[in-house]
Amino acid sequence: MDFRGRLLATLQAIAPVLDVPDVVVIGSQVPNLLQPDLASTLVVSKDVDIGVPVTRHGAVKEALRHVRALHPSTEEPSVWVPVDPLLLEVNFVGMDESIDDTEETYVLEDAELPLMVFGALSLVRPGGTVAIEGTRIRLPRVAGLLLEKLLTERSGIKGDRDLLVALALIVLAADADLDEGVGAYRLLAPHLRHAVRANLSALSLMEPVEGMPDPRPQRARVAALLRRLDGSEPRP
Amino acid sequence: MNVEALHRRARQARARAQVRRWQYRQRHHAQGTWHLLARLLADSRAVFVVSESESEALGSEGIAAEAVGAMLEPPRTIRFVPEARIARLESRREIPVRLGPELLAARHLVLSRFGEGT
């Protein structure tokens, strides 16, 4: 089974969860699913992140009782691991729209499904859906996820991966998505806008990483977005 | 269930946020200089090392040096130059667009900017 098949089979396996309103696929699989025919050629990780609004936590726990092909990891309580190794791990992450501080992080304690809740995910809004063989998959709006990826402070391979996801989103974004992203960027605190621009600069200078798409051919797009963000900065 | 692992990760995330705020406050110091240099490079389609005499000639033609070059020690002259003019620089030697040893060893750099043909 190729990666696309593994990804789609995993999403079908958790279909009851994806049926819960406002639950979205987030993270590195979003660019794969935004490609025509869900081509999934922008593979940068071997797991699937699912954004769970804290207001839907109870409904997601109920839906998980109908999932048979995965079970909770004993080591990582918010991760579900597949029974069949051809499927991918699923990582559940909390989203709290009521968080004002995008740098806030907290743990939603729960005996069944505890969640890390990241404030930056409050920028993510549910977007359109794609369907595969009867399973509807809700994706986030590109603009919010792009900003979240450019804000999340990480290092090493994980950080590189987030920046490559951001790059894939830039490549796939329509003009309207970028307009929306610039608008949301203007509402961020100054140090967060600085972090976004610094991460875009780092993305522009990133060397190819084995097993990940080469970012260098897209440097002009990154430069164009940086110019737009600079142009939207408040005048001193 | 090992919820402590999640709390540990949350503490790490909060610590990284603190570091980011500190880096922003330091942006006018060394941290900021690196950011400005990276920002120039992000705008650059290509980077060339040139001789001191050709760099000075560019200056006398009115092509200003970028301020970040003077913040480095030793100082560098870094100029955005139209590509047609770069093509006439005899000493030009293209180097990779990155914060690497070739760039850091150079004293005089010219950059071609994305979106500016000639």
Side-chain angles (χ1 to χ4, degrees), chain A residues 124-146:
Chain A
V124 175
R125 296 284 181 270
T129 57
V130 293
I132 44 161
E133 296 171 20
T135 301
R136 284 162 54 85
I137 304 163
R138 184 168 296 285
L139 299 175
R141 294 182 70 81
V142 168
L145 186 63
L146 172 59

Side-chain angles (χ1 to χ4, degrees), chain A residues 75-77 103 105 107 109 111 114 116 151 153 190-191 194-195 198 201 204-205 207 219-220 223 226-227 230, chain B residues 1-3 6-7 9-10 13-14 16-17 20-21 24 27 35 38-39 41-45 97-98 114:
Chain A
E75 297 163 358
E76 293 284 343
E103 292 182 290
T105 304
V107 178
E109 293 213 28
M116 289 278 291
L151 271 178
E153 189 72 30
H191 72 285
H194 178 80
S201 295
S204 172
L205 303 180
E207 295 288 304
R219 292 189 63 244
L226 268 167
R227 280 198 299 275
D230 280 346
Chain B
M1 191 172 273
N2 185 14
V3 182
L6 297 183
H7 282 292
R9 223 174 295 155
R14 285 192 284 267
R16 284 194 294 270
R20 180 156 59 193
R21 282 191 283 268
Y24 181 69
R27 69 192 184 284
H35 170 67
R39 182 69 184 79
L41 295 178
D43 270 342
S44 304
R45 183 198 310 278
V97 187
R98 65 175 183 220
F114 280 116

Side-chain angles (χ1 to χ4, degrees), chain B residues 62-107:
Chain B
I63 299 175
E66 297 294 324
V68 67
M71 299 176 192
L72 300 168
E73 186 56 47
R76 276 78 162 177
T77 55
I78 305 173
R79 305 178 199 275
F80 277 108
V81 178
E83 289 183 355
R85 182 67 183 93
I86 292 174
R88 289 187 280 117
L89 295 171
E90 292 182 357
S91 65
R92 74 181 188 281
R93 175 171 61 87
E94 188 167 1
I95 62 173
V97 187
R98 65 175 183 220
L99 287 167
E102 289 160 295
L103 183 133
L104 297 176
R107 297 295 295 275

